[in-house]
């Protein structure tokens, strides 16, 4: 399997999994405007990561990932304690919906319409998701 196909299948599969989770829990309520915002943020973050923008940030990729997970984890825990579980569930479903739609749109453009960026192909060659 060539690298382009591997990237398209991997990213597409992850996006479909996120959307399937939303579809299975859509009766919980999804904040669709927030999902649209998450989709835009997903596209912007993926573009930044694959086009070298994040390479200019301080710290290694591992440090950046740990910092992002720490901030998001704290925000989710704080939101859960302040807003209540129902609203947090709606926000998390909106995040999953936005992630899935954003990734599908981004990969359709940078994968089908235009070539997959070299940085993403290199990560696929090394076996990183």
């Amino acid at each position: 399997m060539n690298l382009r196909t591997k990237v398209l299948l991997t990213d597409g599969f992850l996006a479909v999994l996120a959307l399937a989770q939303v579809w299975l829990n859509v009766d919980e309520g999804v904040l669709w405007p927030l999902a649209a915002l998450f989709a835009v943020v997903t596209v912007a973050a993926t573009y930044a990561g694959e086009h070298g923008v994040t390479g200019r940030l301080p710290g290694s990729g591992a440090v950046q990932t740990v910092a992002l997970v720490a901030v998001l984890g704290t925000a989710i825990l704080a939101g859960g304690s302040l807003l209540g579980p129902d609203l947090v569930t709606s926000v998390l479903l909106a995040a999953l919906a936005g992630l899935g739609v954003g990734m599908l749109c981004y990969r359709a453009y940078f994968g089908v319409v235009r070539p997959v960026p070299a940085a993403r192909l290199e990560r696929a060659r090394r076996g990183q998701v």
Side-chain angles (χ1 to χ4, degrees), residues 3 6 118-129:
L3 292 177
K6 183 178 178 180
R120 181 64 176 103
L121 291 174
E122 178 60 27
R123 280 188 19 227
R125 188 186 65 73
R126 289 183 295 187
Q128 298 173 341
V129 177

Side-chain angles (χ1 to χ4, degrees), residues 32-109:
W32 294 109
L34 190 58
L37 176 66
F38 275 113
V40 170
V41 169
T42 297
V43 168
T46 307
Y47 180 87
E50 290 186 355
H51 289 86
V53 176
T54 57
R56 294 183 290 238
L57 295 174
S60 67
V63 170
Q64 293 170 3
T65 302
V66 167
L68 178 65
V69 169
V71 168
L72 290 178
T74 303
I76 289 169
L77 290 174
S81 64
L82 296 174
L83 303 175
D86 292 337
L87 188 56
V88 171
T89 301
S90 296
V91 170
L92 290 176
L93 288 174
L96 281 173
L99 177 75
V101 170
M103 183 54 69
L104 283 177
C105 292
Y106 179 84
R107 197 49 68 207
Y109 187 71

Side-chain angles (χ1 to χ4, degrees), residues 1-13 50 106-126 128:
M1 172 182 325
N2 68 22
L3 292 177
R4 178 184 170 271
T5 303
K6 183 178 178 180
V7 168
L8 290 174
L9 289 175
T10 302
D11 291 352
F13 180 71
E50 290 186 355
Y106 179 84
R107 197 49 68 207
Y109 187 71
F110 285 106
V112 177
V113 176
R114 300 206 41 204
V116 176
R120 181 64 176 103
L121 291 174
E122 178 60 27
R123 280 188 19 227
R125 188 186 65 73
R126 289 183 295 187
Q128 298 173 341

